[in-house]
Amino acid sequence: MKLKGSEIICESLLREGVDVLFGHPGGAILPFYDALWAYPQLRHILVRHEQSAAHAADGYARVTGRPGVCVATSGPGATNLITGIMGAKADSIPLVAITGQVARAAMGTEAFQECDICSIASVCTKRTYLVMSAGDLARTVRDAFRVAQEGRPGPVLIDVPRDVQLEEAEFEYPAMEPTPEPTLSEATLENVRRAAALINQAERPVIIAGHGIVHSRAFDELLALADRTGIPVINTLLGLSGFPRSHPQSLGMLGMHGMYWCNMVVDQADVIIGLGMRFDDRVTGRVSGFAPHARIIHLDIEASQVGRIVPAEVPLVGDARPVLQALLPLVRWVERPEWMAAIARLKAGHPSLAIPASDALLPQQVLAELNEAIRQDDNAVVVTGVGQHQMWAAQYLFLNRPNSFVTSGGLGAMGFEVPAALGVQMGRPGATVWSVAGDGGFQMTLQELVTAVQEKLPIKIALFNNGYLGMVRQWQEMFFEGHLKEVPMPGPDYVKLANAYDIPALRVEHQEDVADALRQAQSCDGPFLIEFVVERETNVFPMVPPGGSLADTLEDPRTATAAR
C-alpha cells in the first residue's frame, strides 16, 4: 500500500494504540495535519501553546501507562516543546514528540523557522530521529515507541521534514515482537536473598517507595511487603499514591518538605529499603549526613542509578514488580515494638500536619478540607504545579487510589498544573481531576482554560492566590536576609478571567466558605475554578535548610512542641 509520509505516520500511530494527540499546527507540520482529516480515530487536542502539549501528553502517559503523543511545527513550535520533554525525561515518562522540519533542500540554509531540534533535544530525550525518507517512517515510529517504553521510560522525538511528509512510499508496519516476561538473573536472585536476610534481621527498618512503584504498577507487591513484614512505608514526592496514605504503616513523604517524623525515621533507621527511587538531593539533604546508621538496599530498573548517590550494600537491578514478587516469599513478620513506639512518639511530639491558628484563610486548611472532599471519591486524581502549594498538597492529601497524584518532580516546571490536568482527564475520562495550582505557575499556562472548555474536560482548579512567587519569597525571607526581590506577583481577576472563558468560578476568602465551594465544584459537570485568597506570607514547614541533613529538619515555630 503506497501512502504519503504523513499518512504513514497516522497509520503507524494507530497501530501503536494511540487515540489522542496534543498539539498545535504550523507550516512545516501541515501535511500531517492534512492527513489527520482522514483519521478521526486520532483525536487531536488543540492546545494554545506547545509547552502545554508536552505537559498534557505527560499527564496522559502518567495515568494510562501508555506513551503520550505531542505534535508541533518546526522552529519555535519544536523549541516550545522542550520544557515539557525535559520534564518527562526527569520523571521517566514515556512520551513521543513529533515535529515538522523544513524541507530537505532548505535544511542548513537558515530557512524560515528552521531549527536543528534533534541536537537541542538530544540531552532531553532517550533518542531523537531525523527521518529523511518516507520509507523509513513506519520503522522509525515503531522503534520510537519501543524506546520510549522499554527499561527506564522516557521521551523520544521524531523530526520529519515537510517534503518527507508529502513523499509517497510503500507502507508496511513492522511486526510487533511479543514482550518477553521479565526474568531475573541468578545474580539478582542472590541479591534478593541477601536483601531478605537483611530485612528479617533489621531492628529499625523503613521502606522508601518512589516513582518506580508507580511505573511498574507494583502497588499490590508493595502493599504485600508492608503487610508481611510490618515495616513502615515512606514515599518520595513522585512515589505518593504508590502506597495507600491511610494505611496504618504509611508515614507520608520525606525530604526537603517531608514530615518531620519521616526524616527522623530515616535518620535513625538501621536498614533502608529504597524501592524505585534515586536518592536525589530533595530526598537526602546533605548526602554525607544521610541515614548514618543504615545499611541500604536499593532497587532500580537502571543499573547506573543503583548506588550512584548513596552506596548500596545490596543492589537490586530490575523492574520493581518481578523483583518484589521474588522477595515476598523470603521475608517474614518481625515484631519491633521499640521501633514502632519510637515512631509513634515522633509523630505525637512533632505535629507536622498541625494547622497554625489564624484568622486568615490558610492554604493548609484548604487542602485539609479538599482532602475530606475527595476522601470518598475513588476516582479523584490530583495534579499540582510546582511551589508551596505542591508541597502542602503532598503533605495534606491522603490519596489511597494507586497512581492518583501527578506532579512535576525532577524538573519542577511551573505551569505544569493545568495542561497536565487536561492530559490526565483525557487518560481517565471518568475521574474527578483536581488541578491544584499556584497563582505564579497558573499565569504561565492559563490560556489552556479555553482548551478545557473546547474539549469539554471537566477539570476542577483549586487556585491558591497569595500574590507572591511563594516558594521563592520563602527562601528570600529565610536565607537572603529578607531581601524580597521580584517575588510579589499581582494577577488578573481570576473569577472574571474564568468567566471570560465561560467557566463558572468562585472567590473564597474566609475559612467558613471553603467546604461549600468545594462541593459546588464537585457537583459541576464541567470545568470549575475556585480562587482561594490565602494568607500571603505563610511558609512551608517542615523544611530541610540548604546544606542541611534530614536530622536538621526545621519545624513550623507556630506548631512545634517538645518531643515526648
Side-chain angles (χ1 to χ4, degrees), residues 236-550:
T236 66
L237 173 66
L238 288 176
L240 292 172
S241 75
F243 187 77
R245 185 63 180 89
S246 296
H247 191 283
Q249 288 164 233
S250 174
L251 300 183
M253 183 180 73
L254 87 160
M256 177 170 283
H257 291 292
M259 299 296 92
Y260 181 89
W261 57 77
C262 288
N263 290 354
M264 295 306 111
V265 164
V266 170
D267 187 66
Q268 297 170 19
D270 66 348
V271 170
I272 289 175
I273 307 151
L275 303 177
M277 46 86 69
R278 297 184 289 112
F279 292 103
D280 69 89
D281 60 295
R282 293 297 167 119
V283 163
T284 64
R286 189 179 70 250
V287 175
S288 62
F290 177 77
H293 313 292
R295 302 164 76 181
I296 308 293
I297 300 166
H298 188 187
L299 165 63
D300 197 280
I301 198 168
E302 195 169 40
S304 63
Q305 295 291 338
V306 177
R308 183 170 66 95
I309 296 172
V310 175
E313 180 171 329
V314 182
L316 296 171
V317 178
D319 186 90
R321 194 173 183 189
V323 172
L324 290 179
Q325 287 171 347
L327 178 65
L328 282 170
L330 307 178
V331 295
R332 64 176 186 268
W333 178 275
V334 177
E335 294 288 346
R336 302 178 178 93
E338 293 183 5
W339 181 226
M340 302 313 292
I343 293 172
R345 287 193 298 272
L346 281 168
K347 293 179 72 175
H350 301 272
S352 296
L353 294 178
I355 299 174
S358 176
D359 294 330
L361 181 60
L362 296 180
Q364 299 98 313
Q365 179 211 342
V366 174
L367 285 160
E369 296 207 36
L370 176 60
N371 187 52
E372 289 300 315
I374 66 177
R375 180 172 289 182
Q376 306 304 320
D377 186 354
D378 290 336
N379 289 318
V381 182
V382 173
V383 184
T384 84
V386 173
Q388 287 181 315
H389 71 279
Q390 177 191 34
M391 296 296 102
W392 281 314
Q395 293 172 350
Y396 284 88
L397 298 180
F398 280 39
L399 297 166
N400 295 314
R401 176 179 177 175
N403 195 16
S404 57
F405 185 79
V406 173
T407 195
S408 176
L411 189 65
M414 291 176 65
F416 180 82
E417 50 267 75
V418 174
L422 301 179
V424 168
Q425 190 75 78
M426 287 297 303
R428 288 192 186 164
T432 305
V433 178
W434 281 94
S435 173
V436 177
D439 54 326
F442 181 72
Q443 290 189 66
M444 291 188 172
T445 51
L446 56 78
Q447 72 277 355
E448 302 309 333
L449 290 177
V450 74
T451 309
V453 173
Q454 176 178 306
E455 299 297 333
K456 298 180 172 60
L457 300 175
I459 62 171
K460 318 302 178 189
I461 300 170
L463 173 61
F464 290 80
N465 181 7
N466 62 6
Y468 276 117
L469 288 172
M471 188 64 85
V472 183
R473 178 206 55 75
Q474 178 171 339
W475 276 63
Q476 289 181 344
E477 175 190 307
M478 295 179 68
F479 309 116
F480 291 88
E481 301 180 356
H483 298 160
L484 303 188
K485 180 64 174 174
E486 302 302 334
V487 288
M489 178 168 278
D493 183 320
Y494 294 106
V495 172
K496 288 182 179 178
L497 177 74
N499 291 162
Y501 287 116
D502 205 22
I503 294 175
L506 295 171
R507 178 178 294 112
V508 175
E509 301 180 66
H510 305 291
Q511 297 174 7
E512 60 270 21
D513 298 327
V514 173
D516 183 62
L518 294 172
R519 281 192 293 269
Q520 288 190 53
Q522 285 181 308
S523 64
C524 179
D525 61 2
F528 198 100
L529 183 144
I530 310 172
E531 176 194 2
F532 293 103
V533 182
V534 296
E535 200 279 325
R536 296 198 72 201
E537 296 180 349
T538 297
N539 290 336
V540 181
F541 288 101
M543 181 180 188
V544 178
S549 68
L550 297 185

Side-chain angles (χ1 to χ4, degrees), residues 217-242:
R217 303 304 196 254
F219 310 110
D220 292 342
E221 287 75 13
L222 174 59
L223 184 60
L225 179 64
D227 287 341
R228 188 166 297 187
T229 62
I231 297 174
V233 177
I234 290 173
N235 287 108
T236 66
L237 173 66
L238 288 176
L240 292 172
S241 75

